[in-house]
Every structure is written in structure tokens, then in C-alpha cells.
mmCIF file of all heavy atoms in Angstrom:
data_model
loop_
_atom_site.group_PDB
_atom_site.id
_atom_site.type_symbol
_atom_site.label_atom_id
_atom_site.label_comp_id
_atom_site.label_asym_id
_atom_site.label_seq_id
_atom_site.Cartn_x
_atom_site.Cartn_y
_atom_site.Cartn_z
ATOM 1 N N GLU A 370 12.292 -24.666 6.249
ATOM 2 C CA GLU A 370 11.331 -25.641 6.446
ATOM 3 C C GLU A 370 10.107 -25.331 7.246
ATOM 4 O O GLU A 370 9.025 -25.858 7.073
ATOM 5 C CB GLU A 370 12.031 -26.938 7.083
ATOM 6 C CG GLU A 370 13.255 -27.525 6.202
ATOM 7 C CD GLU A 370 13.778 -28.761 6.976
ATOM 8 O OE1 GLU A 370 13.400 -29.014 8.117
ATOM 9 O OE2 GLU A 370 14.649 -29.338 6.271
ATOM 10 N N ASN A 371 10.277 -24.338 8.058
ATOM 11 C CA ASN A 371 9.142 -23.831 8.869
ATOM 12 C C ASN A 371 8.068 -23.204 7.967
ATOM 13 O O ASN A 371 6.863 -23.258 8.266
ATOM 14 C CB ASN A 371 9.640 -22.832 9.937
ATOM 15 C CG ASN A 371 8.530 -22.355 10.821
ATOM 16 O OD1 ASN A 371 7.768 -21.531 10.491
ATOM 17 N ND2 ASN A 371 8.577 -22.803 12.097
ATOM 18 N N GLY A 372 8.583 -22.412 7.020
ATOM 19 C CA GLY A 372 7.526 -21.892 6.004
ATOM 20 C C GLY A 372 6.765 -20.725 6.511
ATOM 21 O O GLY A 372 5.730 -20.433 5.961
ATOM 22 N N PHE A 373 7.284 -20.094 7.530
ATOM 23 C CA PHE A 373 6.532 -18.969 8.080
ATOM 24 C C PHE A 373 6.795 -17.683 7.350
ATOM 25 O O PHE A 373 7.919 -17.129 7.327
ATOM 26 C CB PHE A 373 6.873 -18.771 9.639
ATOM 27 C CG PHE A 373 6.022 -17.801 10.196
ATOM 28 C CD1 PHE A 373 4.802 -18.060 10.875
ATOM 29 C CD2 PHE A 373 6.370 -16.392 10.338
ATOM 30 C CE1 PHE A 373 4.017 -17.140 11.533
ATOM 31 C CE2 PHE A 373 5.638 -15.466 10.969
ATOM 32 C CZ PHE A 373 4.522 -15.839 11.518
ATOM 33 N N LYS A 374 5.797 -17.067 6.694
ATOM 34 C CA LYS A 374 5.931 -15.752 6.097
ATOM 35 C C LYS A 374 4.573 -15.077 6.108
ATOM 36 O O LYS A 374 3.502 -15.709 6.025
ATOM 37 C CB LYS A 374 6.239 -15.913 4.615
ATOM 38 C CG LYS A 374 7.733 -16.448 4.373
ATOM 39 C CD LYS A 374 7.968 -16.384 2.817
ATOM 40 C CE LYS A 374 9.398 -16.840 2.523
ATOM 41 N NZ LYS A 374 9.684 -16.815 1.092
ATOM 42 N N VAL A 375 4.682 -13.693 6.429
ATOM 43 C CA VAL A 375 3.391 -12.944 6.487
ATOM 44 C C VAL A 375 3.706 -11.587 5.795
ATOM 45 O O VAL A 375 4.776 -10.929 6.208
ATOM 46 C CB VAL A 375 2.769 -12.745 7.958
ATOM 47 C CG1 VAL A 375 1.461 -12.057 7.759
ATOM 48 C CG2 VAL A 375 2.663 -14.007 8.577
ATOM 49 N N HIS A 376 2.900 -11.095 5.072
ATOM 50 C CA HIS A 376 3.112 -9.809 4.334
ATOM 51 C C HIS A 376 1.801 -8.952 4.465
ATOM 52 O O HIS A 376 0.742 -9.388 4.036
ATOM 53 C CB HIS A 376 3.497 -9.974 2.908
ATOM 54 C CG HIS A 376 3.771 -8.727 2.161
ATOM 55 N ND1 HIS A 376 3.810 -8.668 0.775
ATOM 56 C CD2 HIS A 376 4.036 -7.391 2.553
ATOM 57 C CE1 HIS A 376 4.186 -7.409 0.420
ATOM 58 N NE2 HIS A 376 4.184 -6.710 1.419
ATOM 59 N N SER A 377 1.957 -7.738 5.063
ATOM 60 C CA SER A 377 0.703 -6.904 5.100
ATOM 61 C C SER A 377 1.023 -5.551 4.536
ATOM 62 O O SER A 377 2.152 -5.163 4.265
ATOM 63 C CB SER A 377 0.309 -6.618 6.552
ATOM 64 O OG SER A 377 1.225 -5.847 7.253
ATOM 65 N N TYR A 378 -0.107 -4.897 4.247
ATOM 66 C CA TYR A 378 -0.083 -3.551 3.479
ATOM 67 C C TYR A 378 -0.953 -2.540 4.215
ATOM 68 O O TYR A 378 -2.038 -2.918 4.629
ATOM 69 C CB TYR A 378 -0.441 -3.678 2.036
ATOM 70 C CG TYR A 378 -0.359 -2.370 1.336
ATOM 71 C CD1 TYR A 378 0.756 -1.790 0.871
ATOM 72 C CD2 TYR A 378 -1.595 -1.604 1.241
ATOM 73 C CE1 TYR A 378 0.718 -0.496 0.205
ATOM 74 C CE2 TYR A 378 -1.635 -0.351 0.585
ATOM 75 C CZ TYR A 378 -0.567 0.082 0.095
ATOM 76 O OH TYR A 378 -0.568 1.342 -0.558
ATOM 77 N N GLN A 379 -0.476 -1.275 4.276
ATOM 78 C CA GLN A 379 -1.342 -0.254 4.832
ATOM 79 C C GLN A 379 -1.135 1.049 4.084
ATOM 80 O O GLN A 379 -0.013 1.502 3.818
ATOM 81 C CB GLN A 379 -0.917 -0.007 6.375
ATOM 82 C CG GLN A 379 -1.414 1.298 6.946
ATOM 83 C CD GLN A 379 -2.858 1.239 7.345
ATOM 84 O OE1 GLN A 379 -3.277 0.376 8.155
ATOM 85 N NE2 GLN A 379 -3.736 2.018 6.740
ATOM 86 N N SER A 380 -2.291 1.511 3.612
ATOM 87 C CA SER A 380 -2.248 2.895 2.904
ATOM 88 C C SER A 380 -2.735 3.919 3.831
ATOM 89 O O SER A 380 -3.701 3.724 4.640
ATOM 90 C CB SER A 380 -3.170 2.839 1.743
ATOM 91 O OG SER A 380 -3.308 4.155 1.156
ATOM 92 N N PHE A 381 -2.074 5.148 3.908
ATOM 93 C CA PHE A 381 -2.518 6.249 4.701
ATOM 94 C C PHE A 381 -3.233 7.370 3.827
ATOM 95 O O PHE A 381 -3.466 8.443 4.359
ATOM 96 C CB PHE A 381 -1.301 6.898 5.453
ATOM 97 C CG PHE A 381 -0.722 5.966 6.479
ATOM 98 C CD1 PHE A 381 0.386 5.250 6.246
ATOM 99 C CD2 PHE A 381 -1.480 5.847 7.699
ATOM 100 C CE1 PHE A 381 0.995 4.400 7.242
ATOM 101 C CE2 PHE A 381 -0.895 5.058 8.685
ATOM 102 C CZ PHE A 381 0.237 4.380 8.512
ATOM 103 N N THR A 382 -3.459 7.070 2.550
ATOM 104 C CA THR A 382 -4.047 8.085 1.650
ATOM 105 C C THR A 382 -5.497 7.756 1.503
ATOM 106 O O THR A 382 -5.880 6.692 0.997
ATOM 107 C CB THR A 382 -3.297 8.177 0.396
ATOM 108 O OG1 THR A 382 -3.384 6.940 -0.249
ATOM 109 C CG2 THR A 382 -1.862 8.596 0.557
ATOM 110 N N GLY A 383 -6.308 8.763 1.694
ATOM 111 C CA GLY A 383 -7.745 8.519 1.604
ATOM 112 C C GLY A 383 -8.216 8.299 0.216
ATOM 113 O O GLY A 383 -9.419 7.788 -0.031
ATOM 114 N N THR A 384 -7.481 8.662 -0.761
ATOM 115 C CA THR A 384 -7.759 8.493 -2.126
ATOM 116 C C THR A 384 -7.537 7.072 -2.727
ATOM 117 O O THR A 384 -8.025 6.698 -3.766
ATOM 118 C CB THR A 384 -7.053 9.499 -3.078
ATOM 119 O OG1 THR A 384 -5.665 9.264 -2.868
ATOM 120 C CG2 THR A 384 -7.442 10.998 -2.609
ATOM 121 N N SER A 385 -6.858 6.366 -1.950
ATOM 122 C CA SER A 385 -6.613 4.944 -2.379
ATOM 123 C C SER A 385 -7.690 4.032 -2.085
ATOM 124 O O SER A 385 -8.195 4.084 -1.033
ATOM 125 C CB SER A 385 -5.190 4.486 -1.769
ATOM 126 O OG SER A 385 -4.959 3.125 -1.998
ATOM 127 N N PRO A 386 -7.895 3.040 -3.044
ATOM 128 C CA PRO A 386 -8.978 2.084 -2.792
ATOM 129 C C PRO A 386 -8.454 1.100 -1.680
ATOM 130 O O PRO A 386 -9.199 0.371 -1.172
ATOM 131 C CB PRO A 386 -9.224 1.434 -4.073
ATOM 132 C CG PRO A 386 -7.994 1.607 -4.842
ATOM 133 C CD PRO A 386 -7.444 2.983 -4.377
ATOM 134 N N ARG A 387 -7.134 1.096 -1.364
ATOM 135 C CA ARG A 387 -6.515 0.162 -0.395
ATOM 136 C C ARG A 387 -6.224 0.956 0.890
ATOM 137 O O ARG A 387 -5.202 0.739 1.516
ATOM 138 C CB ARG A 387 -5.302 -0.429 -0.995
ATOM 139 C CG ARG A 387 -5.520 -1.201 -2.324
ATOM 140 C CD ARG A 387 -4.168 -1.816 -2.829
ATOM 141 N NE ARG A 387 -3.122 -0.816 -2.974
ATOM 142 C CZ ARG A 387 -1.798 -1.210 -3.310
ATOM 143 N NH1 ARG A 387 -1.521 -2.387 -3.424
ATOM 144 N NH2 ARG A 387 -0.995 -0.222 -3.543
ATOM 145 N N ASN A 388 -7.101 1.698 1.346
ATOM 146 C CA ASN A 388 -6.859 2.681 2.404
ATOM 147 C C ASN A 388 -6.901 1.905 3.819
ATOM 148 O O ASN A 388 -7.065 2.648 4.827
ATOM 149 C CB ASN A 388 -7.578 3.977 2.431
ATOM 150 C CG ASN A 388 -9.092 3.666 2.489
ATOM 151 O OD1 ASN A 388 -9.505 2.573 2.343
ATOM 152 N ND2 ASN A 388 -9.820 4.708 2.806
ATOM 153 N N GLU A 389 -7.116 0.620 3.813
ATOM 154 C CA GLU A 389 -7.094 -0.067 5.118
ATOM 155 C C GLU A 389 -6.057 -1.112 5.256
ATOM 156 O O GLU A 389 -5.519 -1.535 4.166
ATOM 157 C CB GLU A 389 -8.575 -0.807 5.158
ATOM 158 C CG GLU A 389 -9.855 0.021 5.174
ATOM 159 C CD GLU A 389 -9.889 0.968 6.370
ATOM 160 O OE1 GLU A 389 -9.320 0.606 7.458
ATOM 161 O OE2 GLU A 389 -10.421 2.100 6.257
ATOM 162 N N SER A 390 -5.679 -1.434 6.386
ATOM 163 C CA SER A 390 -4.721 -2.511 6.617
ATOM 164 C C SER A 390 -5.240 -3.837 6.011
ATOM 165 O O SER A 390 -6.388 -4.090 6.101
ATOM 166 C CB SER A 390 -4.494 -2.707 8.117
ATOM 167 O OG SER A 390 -3.963 -1.577 8.681
ATOM 168 N N LYS A 391 -4.346 -4.550 5.348
ATOM 169 C CA LYS A 391 -4.808 -5.815 4.861
ATOM 170 C C LYS A 391 -3.616 -6.793 4.780
ATOM 171 O O LYS A 391 -2.456 -6.409 4.739
ATOM 172 C CB LYS A 391 -5.436 -5.654 3.434
ATOM 173 C CG LYS A 391 -4.377 -5.351 2.402
ATOM 174 C CD LYS A 391 -4.984 -5.323 0.988
ATOM 175 C CE LYS A 391 -4.042 -5.221 -0.188
ATOM 176 N NZ LYS A 391 -4.590 -5.309 -1.395
ATOM 177 N N ILE A 392 -3.921 -8.113 4.809
ATOM 178 C CA ILE A 392 -2.891 -9.184 4.653
ATOM 179 C C ILE A 392 -2.742 -9.394 3.162
ATOM 180 O O ILE A 392 -3.710 -9.746 2.583
ATOM 181 C CB ILE A 392 -3.270 -10.408 5.365
ATOM 182 C CG1 ILE A 392 -3.443 -10.140 6.976
ATOM 183 C CG2 ILE A 392 -2.380 -11.508 5.181
ATOM 184 C CD1 ILE A 392 -2.194 -9.837 7.571
ATOM 185 N N VAL A 393 -1.578 -9.264 2.656
ATOM 186 C CA VAL A 393 -1.328 -9.580 1.267
ATOM 187 C C VAL A 393 -1.185 -11.004 1.163
ATOM 188 O O VAL A 393 -1.692 -11.610 0.088
ATOM 189 C CB VAL A 393 -0.023 -8.747 0.825
ATOM 190 C CG1 VAL A 393 0.398 -9.179 -0.593
ATOM 191 C CG2 VAL A 393 -0.214 -7.262 0.922
#
């Protein structure tokens, strides 16, 4: 019932367009 969820992603490879931390 609280509904608390958080999902983040971090890429460590410089070739990836997602190479920064982000909240999914």
C-alpha cells in the first residue's frame, strides 16, 4: 500500500549512450 519503489541505472562504459547515473 505504501507504493515505494525506485530503480536506477549506471553504466561504466564510455561507449554507451547511457554512461551516466539515471533514474529509470
Side-chain angles (χ1 to χ4, degrees):
E370 294 181 357
N371 182 284
F373 185 90
K374 290 184 179 180
V375 188
H376 182 194
S377 70
Y378 175 86
Q379 165 75 58
S380 172
F381 291 105
T382 59
T384 58
S385 171
R387 304 182 299 172
N388 63 347
E389 298 294 334
S390 300
K391 72 172 187 178
I392 299 294
V393 177

